[in-house]
Amino acid sequence: MENIKNFVRLKNDNGFKHVETRVSMVLKRQEMGKFQALSEMWKGVVDTIGFGFYLDRDPDHDGEYPPVPGFICAQPWQRLFIMADGVVTACCVDERREYVLGMRARRN
């Protein structure tokens, strides 16, 4: 959270106030009650707070899903994903941690 606050401060101090800062989270349906508390936590820090629901993939599917012709994912140029274990990846479906960009700093 401190890194995001620092980012917003740098963004604003350098004349980029028009650039929107958004925090999004993925919730399991049974966690929906937590969204209000999480929204309050980020209120006043970022411009937009969003969420999506976690969807399990087909447990019988083993291996890669076929590529979609012509699809180019914009997410690596727009956002980062901080997994529950602190691993930072460029893709929301990188559960194998193939595109690790870093780790969230741990506090003592």
Side-chain angles (χ1 to χ4, degrees), residues 33-49:
K34 295 179 183 179
F35 181 71
Q36 186 63 36
L38 291 167
S39 294
E40 288 299 318
M41 181 178 80
W42 288 105
K43 188 175 182 180
V45 177
V46 296
D47 303 303
T48 305
I49 304 160

Side-chain angles (χ1 to χ4, degrees), residues 21-93:
T21 305
R22 174 187 173 112
V23 168
S24 296
M25 57 202 88
V26 178
L27 301 171
K28 293 183 178 180
R29 294 212 182 263
Q30 63 268 29
E31 296 176 320
M32 187 56 202
K34 295 179 183 179
F35 181 71
Q36 186 63 36
L38 291 167
S39 294
E40 288 299 318
M41 181 178 80
W42 288 105
K43 188 175 182 180
V45 177
V46 296
D47 303 303
T48 305
I49 304 160
F51 75 95
F53 285 119
Y54 176 79
L55 299 173
D56 285 323
R57 293 189 184 190
D58 181 356
D60 296 325
H61 183 84
D62 186 28
E64 296 293 320
Y65 285 87
V68 177
F71 175 76
I72 298 172
C73 183
Q75 290 190 10
W77 310 109
Q78 298 171 338
R79 59 195 80 175
L80 296 173
F81 296 87
I82 304 173
M83 304 296 186
D85 60 0
V87 172
V88 180
T89 69
C91 182
C92 62
V93 295

